[in-house]
Amino acid sequence: MAYLFLAVAIGAEVFATSMIKSTDGFSRLWPTVVCLTGYAVSFAALSQAVKAVPVGVAYAIWSGLGTAAIVAIGAAFLNEPITPIKIVGISLIVVGVVTLNLGGATH
C-alpha cells in the first residue's frame, strides 16, 4: 500500500509541476488553485508512504521519477529540447534511485 501512496504522490507532483507555467507566476487564480492542490495531494500521499518506506528511499523515488517525468513532459508538450547532457543527467538520477532501493530497503 505504501508504494501505491508513493505512486499517487509522484503523479500529483508531476501534475502540479506541469501546471506551474499556466499559473503565470501564480497570478491566475484557477490554475494556481489546481497547482497548489496537486502539491497538497502529493505531500499528503508522500507522508503516508513514508510510514512504511524509509524516507530517504521514498524521497529519492519521488523526486527522481518526478524529475524524469517532468523532463519528458517538457519535451513532449512544451517544446523543450532533450539534449545529450539531459539524457546523461536523467540516467544518473535513475541509477541513483535504483542504487538507493537496492541498498536502502532493509531496516
Side-chain angles (χ1 to χ4, degrees):
M1 189 69 169
Y3 284 96
L4 177 62
F5 279 118
L6 189 54
V8 169
I10 292 166
E13 187 269 335
V14 167
F15 176 74
T17 300
S18 67
M19 291 293 299
I20 286 178
K21 200 168 193 174
S22 69
T23 69
D24 196 26
F26 296 113
S27 65
R28 296 180 61 217
L29 177 62
W30 292 113
T32 298
V33 168
V34 170
C35 178
L36 295 178
T37 300
Y39 282 122
V41 168
S42 179
F43 282 110
L46 184 61
S47 73
Q48 295 302 307
V50 299
K51 288 180 178 180
V53 178
V55 70
V57 172
Y59 187 75
I61 294 169
W62 179 78
S63 62
L65 293 181
T67 300
I70 288 300
V71 169
I73 288 169
F77 300 108
L78 302 174
N79 297 321
E80 295 177 359
I82 296 240
T83 62
I85 197 73
K86 281 186 181 180
I87 293 170
V88 169
I90 293 299
S91 299
L92 290 170
I93 290 169
V94 171
V95 168
V97 168
V98 168
T99 302
L100 281 172
N101 274 298
L102 292 174
T106 58
H107 290 275

